[in-house]
Amino acid sequence: MSLQEKLEALKHETLAKIEAATDLVALNQIRVETLGKKGPITEVLRGMKDLSAEERPKVGSFANEIRDALAESLEARKEVLEINAMNEALAKERIDVTLSGKQMPIGTRHVLTQIIEEMEDIFVGMGYQVVEGYEVERDHYNFQRMNLPKDHPARDMQDTFYITDEILLRTHTSPVQARTMEKHDFSKGPLRMVSPGKVFRRDTDDATHSHQFHQIEGLVIDEKVTMGDLKGTLEVLMQQMFGADREIRLRPSYFPFTEPSVEVDVSCFKCGGQGCNVCKQTGWIEILGAGMVHPNVLEMSGIDATKYSGFAFGLGPDRIAMLRYGVNDIRDFYHNDIRFIHQFKGE
Ligand code: FA5
């Protein structure tokens, strides 16, 4: 068999093998065996030196032709096998888009946080600053600077948890009044602040009382501040919280740190004042305590009570949330039952 015949036979044999190859590994094996350094074509080309000068170019170009033909065929088969492999993988890894997806649970802000932030927004809109106080507070600020000296009988209304004789869990947000007043520079303008936060009392827990709850303190001090300013401010707050036709009424009350002191009621947002279960048939809902800042409190904070006056108020967002959403038990806010919390998705 001549060299050409041998090459021709090799070509046919290899083309058949290429056609028969069913995967890329087998195909590569054929390529290495046929066209590789130790393959028959390289061997033929290497043996050319023994051929006559006449035969050499003929055999050479024939061997090259065959090598190119085989390389081309290998490449074509490779493409086919690659496409087959990809189709196979796609078929195997098919995603069933009709399967129901996994629900990612979306959290919500706690309903009390929502109420507090809503009220903060209202006050910021009226030019107030939002101030933070301390939950662990000194007797000095919680009581004494609020005009409640040691052994004052009104301390009984707000017994608390003591850390030492002088350090306690604050019973109201009012100590933030004293802390803010003593720092305020009136040459830069009046003082207008609200301060939300947790407070603590030795109250027995029931449907409307919790030993830990929230308050929002409000304080305005300037020259010539009057009860009229207090009433107007609280009216705006209540109308924004409970509806534009809400009215408020002030009843005389007592707090050691305000004089005069008032309890503030809002006309019932459910029945509009006719009487219903929300307002206990009275048409009014008691909502907060307030008053004109007592001159002693101003003076203890270094403010001239003959020049400045102010009003203060303290309200309970827990009770406001209860009213607005018809929550019957204040303790629901603190049980962390996700079924309860998820009912208040906010905006
Ligand atoms: C005070 O705490 C005064 N510091 C409020 C104040 C501030 C008056 C500034 C004048 C000037 P009182 O004890 O009434 O007041 O509490 C205020 C509000 O806190 C109540 O109206 C109520 O909404 C809420 N509150 C009181 N005790 C509890 C309790 N145990 N659980 C839930 N909310 C309570």
Side-chain angles (χ1 to χ4, degrees):
M1 212 195 266
S2 75
L3 210 50
Q4 263 119 322
E5 281 168 345
K6 261 195 206 167
L7 285 170
E8 193 64 46
L10 177 73
K11 178 183 164 188
H12 285 298
E13 191 189 314
T14 312
L15 283 178
K17 275 194 206 165
I18 292 171
E19 253 341 280
T22 52
D23 63 66
L24 289 162
V25 177
L27 192 70
N28 194 43
Q29 186 69 24
I30 298 167
R31 189 184 59 77
V32 172
E33 277 172 11
T34 325
L35 303 180
K37 274 185 195 149
K38 288 179 191 149
I41 295 182
T42 316
E43 209 168 289
V44 168
L45 292 171
R46 228 181 256 143
M48 296 250 294
K49 59 180 185 319
D50 303 328
L51 295 177
S52 65
E54 195 187 307
E55 257 183 324
R56 207 178 289 156
K58 274 195 224 154
V59 174
S61 82
F62 191 61
N64 279 339
E65 244 170 60
I66 286 182
R67 194 185 53 192
D68 291 350
L70 290 179
E72 207 174 285
S73 170
L74 278 165
E75 196 50 41
R77 184 71 186 148
K78 189 175 163 212
E79 257 172 50
V80 170
L81 290 178
E82 273 174 354
I83 289 170
N84 286 352
M86 194 201 285
N87 285 340
E88 225 170 85
L90 285 175
K92 231 190 272 168
E93 294 162 15
R94 205 168 67 202
I95 296 166
D96 183 352
V97 291
T98 64
L99 275 177
S100 52
K102 272 189 198 156
Q103 280 251 318
M104 294 300 284
I106 298 172
T108 58
R109 284 173 309 149
H110 194 278
V111 56
L112 293 177
T113 310
Q114 292 176 34
I115 289 273
I116 289 169
E117 287 180 357
E118 187 180 332
M119 286 198 262
E120 278 177 9
D121 283 350
I122 294 169
F123 282 108
V124 167
M126 292 194 276
Y128 286 58
Q129 53 171 326
V130 179
V131 176
E132 281 204 37
Y134 300 115
E135 288 171 11
V136 179
E137 185 50 283
R138 288 171 55 196
D139 180 287
H140 175 77
Y141 284 105
N142 193 79
F143 290 129
Q144 295 172 50
R145 290 280 292 277
M146 288 290 106
N147 214 19
L148 279 147
K150 295 248 173 191
D151 303 321
H152 191 292
R155 283 195 180 208
D156 287 352
M157 296 194 292
Q158 299 188 9
D159 196 8
T160 186
F161 305 90
Y162 284 84
I163 287 141
T164 67
D165 280 352
E166 296 303 322
I167 298 173
L168 45 80
L169 297 187
R170 67 177 177 184
T171 57
H172 51 176
T173 42
S174 298
V176 188
Q177 285 189 34
R179 287 188 176 274
T180 315
M181 276 189 263
E182 68 186 12
K183 274 191 279 189
H184 190 74
D185 177 357
F186 282 91
S187 70
K188 297 207 170 109
L191 192 171
R192 285 191 216 100
M193 72 91 182
V194 283
S195 183
K198 290 191 191 74
V199 301
F200 310 83
R201 286 189 196 177
R202 207 201 64 99
D203 280 356
T204 306
D205 291 357
D206 63 21
T208 54
H209 293 82
S210 170
H211 61 280
Q212 178 201 300
F213 56 102
H214 294 81
Q215 284 191 343
I216 298 182
E217 193 77 13
L219 175 69
V220 171
I221 299 184
D222 197 0
E223 292 175 39
K224 303 194 181 82
V225 175
T226 68
M227 283 287 271
D229 298 316
L230 170 65
K231 188 168 183 219
T233 304
L234 294 176
E235 220 160 46
V236 169
L237 174 68
M238 287 304 138
Q239 286 170 354
Q240 298 222 15
M241 292 296 295
F242 289 111
D245 45 3
R246 294 280 65 74
E247 289 171 37
I248 62 166
R249 75 175 182 190
L250 309 184
R251 286 178 290 113
S253 184
Y254 169 74
F255 297 103
F257 32 91
T258 45
E259 184 59 39
S261 302
V262 289
E263 289 290 344
V264 181
D265 301 338
V266 62
S267 60
C268 181
F269 59 89
K270 190 171 175 204
C271 65
Q274 304 304 306
C276 68
N277 58 335
V278 170
C279 58
K280 299 188 189 113
Q281 311 303 329
T282 65
W284 295 94
I285 302 167
E286 186 180 318
I287 210 89
L288 57 91
M292 300 306 290
V293 180
H294 197 292
N296 287 356
V297 174
L298 292 174
E299 295 287 350
M300 278 189 277
S301 295
I303 296 170
D304 180 356
T306 59
K307 184 172 176 199
Y308 291 98
S309 58
F311 65 76
F313 56 87
L315 53 85
D318 306 55
R319 299 252 176 99
I320 288 182
M322 288 175 79
L323 281 171
R324 186 195 265 183
Y325 298 116
V327 174
N328 295 324
D329 197 319
I330 193 169
R331 293 167 291 194
D332 286 337
F333 294 129
Y334 298 100
H335 283 164
N336 276 341
D337 184 335
I338 211 80
R339 293 167 304 179
F340 174 81
I341 290 169
H342 268 182
Q343 292 176 51
F344 308 96
K345 292 268 184 215
E347 276 149 35

